[in-house]
Amino acid sequence: MKKVVKFGGSSLANAEQFKKVGAIISEDEARRYVVPSAPGKRFADDTKVTDMLYACYDAAVKGEDFSGLLGNIQERYQEIINGLGLEFSLADDFALIAENFHSKAGQDYAASRGEYLNGKIMAAYLDTAFVDAADVIRFNEDGTFNDEVTNELLGARLSELHSAVIPGFYGAKEDGTIVTFSRGGSDITGSLVALAVKADLYENWTDVSGFLIADPRIVKNPKSIETITYKELRELSYMGASVLHEDAIFPVRKAGIPINIRNTNAPEDKGTLIVESTCRQPRYTITGIAGTDGFAAITVEKAMMNSEVGFCRKVLQIFEDNGVSIEHMPSGIDTMSIFVNKESFEEKEQKILADINKSVHPDHIELESDLALIAVVGRGMKSTRGTAGRIFSALAHAHINVKMIDQGSSELNIIVGVKHEDFKTAIRALYEIFVLTQI
Ligand code: ASP
């Protein structure tokens, strides 16, 4: 059994957290390949080391004295080293980093040092091999990621090692230039390592016990999701639920490796298992509820629209030509509504309206802003009658007017559009009916 374990920044923010991580790793000998992030926040208004590095490098680029800022970063690491009682020094590394900052080695190089240094400490603490991600995670000359070469390099290097620490977030071009993934990218590294070593499981350790059924900022103490499929996850992430970097899913999904989201601060919790498919029935009819605010709807009305060939295409073309992405498109017999991100629409609003008038001569165009969309997602909906009925009665009881309804043909989700001011009440009402009052 082989497991790849990735630990996020809050799991490695100080020596105390490192000790929890050490205990988790030593508890299961299958946890052989470790991918650490840079130290994250130790308390709510603390600064992540990655952000400190960006700020420090900014100062270097401006020609300012950055020694104080770099000194603060070094202190963060020294505190961890001291707290773990290690005979280990990063002095040479910091001297080299200072030199490279002076010679402006690049922002990605700067940011990557957070993971690099944390990885070195982790390898010393676990007494295992350190593999520099620059040697095994490959980017192309144009900065895009090269999955094939990476898989070969990682696979070959790690096959020689029973266990290893591979820092997350970065890799390098063939000439050694460091390139990072986007923020939160250590999740991707974990996934690539899992693919390369053909792991049985990719454990992603963070500070929450997996995905929650609803946003905890809206619903008090929501229950967590035990098992979720990749498709359900995609639906919920689209609507704003996020724990994992989206690009981390593809490599493991392709190889059929499940991801287990776990909580470093509550290792006894099972967390959430993300799988391709499962016959495990979810505990509730729905798997999760997620929503996003900030939509606008443009409703185009024209008598006999349904018999006018090409009407929809012409309207959609206008949005495409103006570079505005369409989120949803519910339609009536003589109306079609187009839901778009309000911010991206606002800039082009008058131009788009003029284009619609010119192109399809509608009877009327109605604009509505400050809308929110809420997705109720769950594979359990397919086999259950009355889900839509329960959604609407819950919203009606909460005195919420539904502006739009959209059920995907896979029966995996039902999306409802509500006014911005009803957004939170609607999510609470849905959580209550599906989770709290479900027998
Ligand atoms: N340290 C990087 C960030 O803060 C990458 C990561 O933590 O995954 O975005």
Side-chain angles (χ1 to χ4, degrees):
M1 184 92 163
K2 252 185 265 175
K3 291 182 186 171
V4 170
V5 283
K6 179 259 166 180
F7 292 91
S10 58
S11 301
L12 298 167
N14 56 26
E16 205 183 309
Q17 291 298 91
F18 258 76
K19 286 181 189 163
K20 290 185 194 168
V21 166
I24 289 167
I25 294 170
S26 60
E27 198 177 70
D28 180 351
E29 57 187 37
R31 294 180 175 137
R32 289 166 43 183
Y33 300 102
V34 181
V35 177
S37 283
K41 295 183 180 190
R42 294 161 293 182
F43 38 87
D45 50 9
D46 196 14
T47 312
K48 290 177 168 194
V49 163
T50 308
D51 292 313
M52 295 169 84
L53 284 159
Y54 279 125
C56 181
Y57 187 69
D58 260 6
V61 169
K62 286 185 198 140
E64 294 167 9
D65 175 18
F66 61 83
S67 55
L69 292 173
L70 196 59
N72 293 342
I73 298 169
Q74 189 162 3
E75 250 170 52
R76 289 280 299 263
Y77 286 104
Q78 198 53 50
E79 235 177 70
I80 297 175
I81 293 171
N82 295 345
L84 295 175
L86 293 174
E87 296 279 325
F88 179 73
S89 167
L90 290 174
D92 291 348
D93 291 286
F94 271 95
L96 184 63
I97 291 171
E99 220 175 274
N100 288 334
F101 274 31
H102 271 299
S103 57
K104 304 192 177 56
Q107 200 184 43
D108 283 10
Y109 165 80
S112 74
R113 296 305 87 186
E115 273 65 15
Y116 172 83
L117 297 167
N118 229 20
K120 283 194 125 184
I121 298 179
M122 179 63 89
Y125 180 52
L126 299 176
D127 193 18
T128 187
F130 172 78
V131 174
D132 188 350
D135 300 332
V136 285
I137 305 272
R138 180 66 75 242
F139 285 84
N140 297 313
E141 217 21 69
D142 64 2
T144 53
F145 174 63
N146 189 326
D147 56 344
E148 268 174 41
V149 176
T150 296
N151 202 40
E152 272 165 34
L153 291 172
L154 256 177
R157 181 80 182 94
L158 296 181
S159 69
E160 301 161 355
L161 300 166
H162 176 78
S163 59
V165 173
I166 311 99
F169 191 39
Y170 72 94
K173 295 181 187 174
E174 211 176 328
D175 67 3
T177 311
I178 300 285
V179 182
T180 60
F181 292 112
S182 55
R183 295 300 303 264
S186 298
D187 285 343
I188 307 173
T189 311
S191 187
L192 296 171
V193 173
L195 174 70
V197 302
K198 301 188 175 61
D200 298 282
L201 184 66
Y202 170 22
E203 287 181 344
N204 189 298
W205 291 79
T206 174
D207 51 11
V208 285
S209 294
F211 286 99
L212 300 173
I213 293 181
D215 188 335
R217 287 165 300 187
I218 299 175
V219 172
K220 221 167 156 199
N221 290 327
K223 296 203 169 28
S224 59
I225 300 172
E226 284 174 6
T227 310
I228 188 170
T229 65
Y230 285 111
K231 277 191 192 151
E232 290 172 317
L233 180 63
R234 170 86 186 106
E235 301 279 350
L236 290 172
S237 318
Y238 166 75
M239 279 294 175
S242 77
V243 171
L244 195 67
H245 194 299
E246 279 233 307
D247 296 343
I249 290 168
F250 184 68
V252 279
R253 182 176 183 181
K254 199 171 72 175
I257 303 167
I259 306 176
N260 193 185
I261 308 284
R262 300 284 298 262
N263 189 349
T264 301
N265 304 319
E268 62 288 356
D269 291 353
K270 283 192 186 149
T272 301
L273 193 64
I274 311 169
V275 294
E276 180 62 42
S277 57
T278 176
C279 49
R280 282 194 220 182
Q281 275 306 317
R283 203 160 8 137
Y284 309 102
T285 308
I286 60 152
T287 302
I289 306 164
T292 332
D293 231 349
F295 290 97
I298 302 97
T299 300
V300 184
E301 197 180 325
K302 188 174 185 187
M304 307 306 283
M305 164 200 290
N306 65 329
S307 54
E308 198 176 317
V309 176
F311 188 95
C312 292
R313 184 191 54 73
K314 286 182 201 155
V315 174
L316 297 184
Q317 187 72 48
I318 292 165
F319 285 86
E320 182 179 341
D321 292 346
N322 284 283
V324 174
S325 171
I326 292 167
E327 306 290 339
H328 284 279
M329 216 186 62
S331 62
I333 298 180
D334 285 335
T335 59
M336 69 185 283
S337 296
I338 293 143
F339 276 67
V340 291
N341 176 284
K342 190 177 145 209
E343 254 175 49
S344 68
F345 173 68
E346 263 169 5
E347 287 167 35
K348 311 270 176 69
E349 182 188 75
Q350 292 309 313
K351 164 103 174 41
I352 291 177
L353 296 181
D355 288 352
I356 295 175
N357 275 316
K358 241 185 287 162
S359 172
V360 296
H361 311 290
D363 297 335
H364 181 62
I365 301 179
E366 196 177 308
L367 290 182
E368 197 159 4
S369 60
D370 292 324
L371 294 172
L373 293 179
I374 299 169
V376 180
V377 176
R379 59 191 185 280
M381 283 167 28
K382 204 167 182 155
S383 49
T384 317
R385 267 175 295 144
T387 311
R390 293 175 76 191
I391 291 177
F392 299 119
S393 70
L395 295 176
H397 274 109
H399 306 286
I400 292 166
N401 179 31
V402 176
K403 314 280 306 175
M404 184 214 71
I405 309 159
D406 193 352
Q407 172 170 4
S409 49
S410 59
E411 287 183 61
L412 191 64
N413 67 353
I414 294 178
I415 295 176
V416 291
V418 298
K419 276 296 244 185
H420 160 77
E421 57 263 32
D422 292 331
F423 180 55
K424 289 183 179 169
T425 320
I427 290 188
R428 286 186 199 118
L430 293 169
Y431 184 81
E432 191 170 322
I433 190 113
F434 283 106
V435 182
L436 297 184
T437 56
Q438 174 145 326
I439 309 143

